[in-house]
Amino acid sequence: QVQLVESGGGLVQAGGSLRLSCSADRRTFNLQVMGWFRQHPGKAREFVARIDKSDGKTYYADSVKGRFAISSDHAENTIYLQMNSLKPEDTAVYSCAGDPRAAPTGLWRYWGRGTQVSVSS
């Protein structure tokens, strides 16, 4: 079982920045993709960003393109989500996820517990 632990959430004013981190234990050798999802209160979880281990290619939800950036440090088994120009609608619980499939569909296999991001107007 792969364990993922998020950190870096908090409260920030609109227009501000936060950087989330997701640390994985060393059993990540079989994870082909890692990424971030978020869940707004009372709503379904939604995809935010993804990074592929094989080539470093990244993918973003339209709502965060140009503002968020996902990156990885394979040596540290860590991925990051740099969030800039934050908006109140970015307020959500952000969860890290990983999957051994190269192109996962449906629910990803491994999940962190999530970290709260709150953006005040």
Side-chain angles (χ1 to χ4, degrees):
Q1 182 73 16
V2 174
Q3 292 186 337
L4 305 174
V5 179
E6 305 95 337
S7 62
L11 175 63
V12 65
Q13 288 188 331
S17 298
L18 281 175
R19 189 192 196 203
L20 304 183
S21 300
C22 172
S23 296
D25 61 24
R26 288 183 289 180
R27 291 166 290 183
T28 59
F29 67 92
N30 64 335
L31 294 183
Q32 296 303 306
V33 297
M34 292 187 72
W36 293 92
F37 291 73
R38 69 185 181 186
Q39 187 167 19
H40 297 94
K43 295 189 176 181
R45 186 163 50 198
E46 64 180 23
F47 168 77
V48 175
R50 159 187 156 186
I51 185 165
D52 291 354
K53 184 178 181 179
S54 61
D55 56 10
K57 193 171 182 180
T58 57
Y59 304 83
Y60 297 94
D62 288 343
S63 58
V64 306
K65 279 181 182 176
R67 300 189 298 122
F68 291 11
I70 188 171
S71 60
S72 63
D73 183 335
H74 294 303
E76 296 296 327
N77 296 313
T78 301
I79 64 169
Y80 305 94
L81 185 68
Q82 178 66 42
M83 305 184 295
N84 300 324
S85 302
L86 282 161
K87 305 175 182 180
E89 50 264 43
D90 294 318
T91 295
V93 174
Y94 285 71
S95 298
C96 174
D99 199 282
R101 297 169 291 175
T105 58
L107 185 65
W108 289 24
R109 186 165 299 178
Y110 303 111
W111 292 87
R113 292 190 174 187
T115 184
Q116 177 70 46
V117 171
S118 299
V119 184
S120 63
S121 58

